[in-house]
Amino acid sequence: MTQSFTAMVAPLGFDAQHTLSAGGLKRPSVRFVIGVIAACLVGTACVDAADPPRMKRADAFLGIHFDFHAGDDCNRVGERTTPEMVERVIDKVNPDYIQIDCKGHRGYSSYPTMVGNPAPGFVGDPLQIWRDVTRKRGIALFMHYSGVWDDKAVADHPEWAAIDGAGKPNNRATSVFGPYVDTLMIPQLRELAGKYGVDGVWVDGDCWGTMADYGETATRMFREQTGVEVIPRKAGAPYWNEWMDFHRDGFRRYVRHYVDELKASHPDFQVISNWAFSDHMPEAVSADVAGLSGDFSPDDSVNSARFAGRCLEDQGVPWDLMSWSFSRETRKQKPAVQLMQEAAQVLALGGGYQAYFKQDRDGAVRDPAEMDVMAEVARFCRDRQPYCHRSVAVPQMALLYSTAGHYRESPRLFHWNGANGVRVLRSALTEMLQNQYGVQILSEHQLKGKTSEWPVIVVPGWEYLEPDFRDELASYAKSGGTLLLIGPGPAKLFEPEATAGTDFSIVSVDQVDGAFPTALKQVLPEPLVEVIGAKDVDVSPRMLGNKLTLHLVNTSGPHATPPDGGINEVKPVGPLKVSIRLSQAPKSITMQPEGKPLEVTWAAGQATISLPKLELYSILVVER
């Protein structure tokens, strides 16, 4: 073997000089050299021509996620991981893909990595078992990999950490301006893609783990870009917004960098950054990711999914959302029906669905009985897949999630929590859904130049909008659209137009209270769909191909405050009368997945049907 070390690492995209000097390893360890050589020799993992094809994430509908965030307590990883264990998961759930742990927030890898930080002890190679079985079964395999958040990396290399305002290294978050991504993350992802041939990665702890960095590199770059000498230290200080935006752009560059590097070396490797371009990061997609994804709140999950799904559905990229299969507060397994109600919120918006189950500290699936729960949920989802996956919303009400307003107000770089505008938005969303309005949550990049597509645009609580977008909304209100303003912030922004007389269609309310439903009826007196008989029904009018589909989700029950044992029953609601405004009488309306034709009454441009009850989630398919 006569190749130089530099030449040998080139196929994986390693830069030997950078790796060994840029704040990383001072010299190559034996483990590092052997790992790099092994990965280069393996290249792209061998694939048997007889293996069935695996679905791309962009086409996937149903997945299952496992992780356990390996730590220094894990010294027998793989001891109980067997092909039979993996086969049982696949046989029970029949997923399109499986995500498993490979590096959690603690920074220890749960497979015998040669280029990262392995857990203390292994029995065999558990990752190879997962890969061998999923390959033979035609199931895509994704890795749960903690990105920015890596306790072990910053403990070993404090110079990789984001530095706080007092000059102290963060004990969890790496800097998106530092060498971590090139020295550890990209090489490890290439090991996973090359040596193991995994299909992709779901990068956890990424946007929401990113912190403002007062380190030398970041502050120097900020000064060079802005000319600002005094670095702001707190909200309200001069140039604080510019400082925060600088870090947001740094994160975007970091994601694009590792996505593009992996595509260059392993073009089929699929990358998803958890919560990127979502409710945490309400902006246009600016990286070549394979899809968008996030794990919504494990508690009060129905309301969390209502919000998160509507922030993803119009981003123009395939997406899915994940339930935690257990409560964070009680740590107890949720019953199948509780997960079905959570899944219904995602499916009714056209998304894919996955659920998270725990692994034991040796990496084995914790409780085989939990897979029986997931099997029930999977059947529920599959029954509805032909009538929901990839459906698109019929424009009714647009609820503005202002990127500019949120980023000005939020105390964090990337998270929905903390902005008053989002608090008002979520309250308004709940009230609008309980009054059976079809609602989309949209940001500036989705509305600019297209405002006329929505009869009503709701501006909830934002105290700042970019002037050109504010003016576009005012023009929209003058040319036939209606603005519904909630709170003093929006009222002040549009005060000139609101007091200008009848030329502008603007309705303003002080808050989301008892008068709010009256205001909704004023701005949209004739919605596409009206449901009479129960408030606890979310209605989503959508198109699937050329067919109108009406998604009815039963949201009754104590999902905001579930009992200690979880929700074991969702009681049916009804009877319901559903009226649909159409240009002509429909040929038929069928309730799916029940396959039940419904009797239709046609009068005055409305098709009306009666449902004795709504169990949990049904779709009305309108043939025209």
Side-chain angles (χ1 to χ4, degrees):
M1 189 176 295
T2 59
Q3 286 179 291
S4 69
F5 178 74
T6 301
M8 290 198 65
V9 299
L12 286 182
F14 288 83
D15 179 332
Q17 183 176 359
H18 175 82
T19 301
L20 303 181
S21 63
L25 300 167
K26 301 304 181 184
R27 66 178 62 177
S29 67
V30 172
R31 170 179 284 274
F32 179 81
V33 174
I34 292 174
V36 170
I37 293 172
C40 289
L41 289 175
V42 172
T44 299
C46 296
V47 178
D48 190 325
D51 290 339
R54 299 190 295 277
M55 187 176 292
K56 292 290 186 183
R57 187 59 172 259
D59 299 320
F61 172 72
L62 182 69
I64 186 168
H65 173 101
F66 299 99
D67 73 50
F68 67 108
H69 295 268
D72 57 7
D73 59 322
C74 298
N75 55 20
R76 302 289 294 174
V77 179
E79 186 170 39
R80 295 183 298 138
T81 299
T82 64
E84 292 76 18
M85 181 197 78
V86 181
E87 292 277 5
R88 281 196 298 271
V89 173
I90 295 172
D91 288 341
K92 286 180 180 291
V93 179
N94 188 29
D96 297 325
Y97 62 91
I98 293 174
Q99 285 177 183
I100 64 168
D101 190 273
C102 80
K103 179 171 81 76
H105 300 328
R106 300 186 189 188
Y108 287 89
S109 295
S110 54
Y111 72 99
T113 177
M114 291 293 187
V115 297
N117 297 306
F122 293 86
V123 178
D125 188 339
L127 176 52
Q128 194 62 61
I129 292 173
W130 281 97
R131 174 71 290 181
D132 289 346
V133 175
T134 54
R135 179 186 289 118
K136 291 175 182 176
R137 295 292 299 272
I139 304 296
L141 182 64
F142 283 76
M143 299 289 97
H144 169 259
Y145 186 99
S146 190
V148 164
W149 193 352
D150 189 317
D151 297 0
K152 175 67 172 169
V154 297
D156 291 349
H157 298 280
E159 70 276 14
W160 293 0
I163 306 299
D164 68 17
K168 181 180 178 182
N170 193 288
N171 63 359
R172 287 186 158 178
T174 60
S175 170
V176 297
F177 302 97
Y180 160 81
V181 66
D182 288 300
T183 308
L184 176 61
M185 184 177 182
I186 291 173
Q188 191 163 19
L189 295 182
R190 283 179 168 147
E191 178 187 52
L192 292 164
K195 180 179 178 181
Y196 290 95
V198 302
D199 295 275
V201 65
W202 192 84
V203 183
D204 199 2
D206 220 23
C207 72
W208 56 266
T210 302
M211 305 292 179
D213 180 12
Y214 290 84
E216 181 181 350
T217 299
T219 54
R220 173 179 51 78
M221 290 176 62
F222 179 71
R223 289 188 174 106
E224 290 173 352
Q225 290 181 21
T226 65
V228 174
E229 286 300 320
V230 179
I231 304 298
R233 301 283 167 171
K234 62 181 181 179
Y239 301 104
W240 176 256
N241 292 328
E242 290 82 356
W243 176 243
M244 296 291 275
D245 286 343
F246 165 79
H247 284 89
R248 292 185 180 108
D249 194 51
F251 175 78
R252 296 179 195 111
R253 291 197 308 270
Y254 148 88
V255 173
R256 287 195 292 267
H257 175 58
Y258 73 71
V259 170
D260 293 347
E261 285 293 309
L262 266 295
K263 281 190 173 294
S265 60
H266 298 84
D268 293 331
F269 191 74
Q270 302 160 74
V271 177
I272 292 173
S273 177
N274 179 25
W275 287 125
F277 314 111
S278 69
D279 60 20
H280 289 51
M281 190 178 172
E283 59 183 65
V285 177
S286 59
D288 192 12
V289 290
L292 305 180
S293 184
D295 51 323
F296 54 79
S297 175
D299 302 296
D300 195 13
S301 302
V302 167
N303 283 320
S304 181
R306 276 171 157 176
F307 169 57
R310 284 173 175 80
C311 293
L312 288 172
E313 64 167 323
D314 291 295
Q315 284 286 56
V317 177
W319 64 278
D320 65 71
L321 281 173
M322 178 198 299
S323 289
W324 286 37
S325 72
F326 55 94
S327 165
R328 178 160 47 196
E329 292 184 1
T330 68
R331 312 304 291 180
K332 292 181 179 179
Q333 172 68 51
K334 295 176 182 176
V337 70
Q338 185 171 350
L339 291 175
M340 290 175 190
Q341 192 178 42
E342 295 175 16
Q345 286 292 335
V346 179
L347 305 188
L349 299 175
Y353 176 76
Q354 57 174 313
Y356 159 33
F357 291 81
K358 292 173 284 189
Q359 292 170 266
D360 279 333
R361 302 308 290 162
D362 65 356
V365 174
R366 172 160 292 188
D367 183 353
E370 293 177 353
M371 294 302 98
D372 293 334
V373 171
M374 187 58 192
E376 288 187 61
V377 177
R379 287 191 292 272
F380 173 87
C381 295
R382 292 294 191 195
D383 286 348
R384 289 154 179 79
Q385 182 176 357
Y387 314 104
C388 65
H389 195 213
R390 300 290 182 80
S391 67
V392 297
V394 176
Q396 290 283 280
M397 285 191 170
L399 183 55
L400 175 62
Y401 190 167
S402 170
T403 304
H406 177 64
Y407 283 170
R408 284 257 177 151
E409 188 178 352
S410 176
R412 296 176 61 173
L413 291 173
F414 296 113
H415 201 279
W416 59 265
N417 196 16
N420 180 63
V422 177
R423 182 189 63 78
V424 177
L425 182 155
R426 293 193 66 168
S427 180
L429 174 66
T430 300
E431 190 68 27
M432 293 161 80
L433 291 174
Q434 287 185 336
N435 282 274
Q436 283 78 52
Y437 288 96
V439 186
Q440 293 167 264
I441 296 176
L442 300 164
S443 297
E444 288 91 336
H445 67 281
Q446 294 154 326
L447 285 169
K448 282 182 178 178
K450 302 176 183 177
T451 54
S452 62
E453 295 180 12
W454 286 269
V456 179
I457 297 177
V458 182
V459 183
W462 302 114
E463 297 185 358
Y464 175 83
L465 297 175
E466 294 288 358
D468 62 337
F469 183 64
R470 191 222 75 93
D471 291 347
E472 182 175 343
L473 290 179
S475 296
Y476 158 85
K478 191 173 184 177
S479 58
T482 300
L483 285 181
L484 173 56
L485 311 179
I486 308 174
K492 185 175 181 180
L493 286 174
F494 292 93
E495 185 176 15
E497 290 80 12
T499 58
T502 58
D503 285 348
F504 292 88
S505 182
I506 297 177
V507 176
S508 184
V509 295
D510 292 336
Q511 58 185 321
V512 180
D513 58 12
F516 186 61
T518 306
L520 292 175
K521 291 177 182 177
Q522 179 181 347
V523 298
L524 193 64
E526 296 186 346
L528 175 64
V529 183
E530 291 184 87
V531 177
I532 298 174
K535 287 182 68 69
D536 293 324
V537 178
D538 284 6
V539 180
S540 298
R542 305 184 68 83
M543 296 299 296
L544 188 63
N546 61 359
K547 292 183 180 179
L548 175 64
T549 57
L550 308 178
H551 298 255
L552 308 178
V553 179
N554 177 354
T555 60
S556 65
H559 49 77
T561 55
D564 184 63
I567 297 172
N568 288 286
E569 179 187 16
V570 176
K571 293 182 179 179
V573 294
L576 303 177
K577 184 174 82 170
V578 181
S579 297
I580 313 161
R581 286 183 170 81
L582 299 170
S583 59
Q584 60 186 39
K587 295 178 181 178
S588 65
I589 299 179
T590 306
M591 186 176 182
Q592 298 290 5
E594 296 85 353
K596 180 181 179 182
L598 300 173
E599 184 176 342
V600 181
T601 301
W602 175 255
Q606 290 193 92
T608 301
I609 58 94
S610 295
L611 298 179
K613 63 180 178 179
L614 173 66
E615 294 283 355
L616 186 51
Y617 168 35
S618 293
I619 303 109
L620 305 184
V621 179
V622 181
E623 295 281 356
R624 293 185 283 183

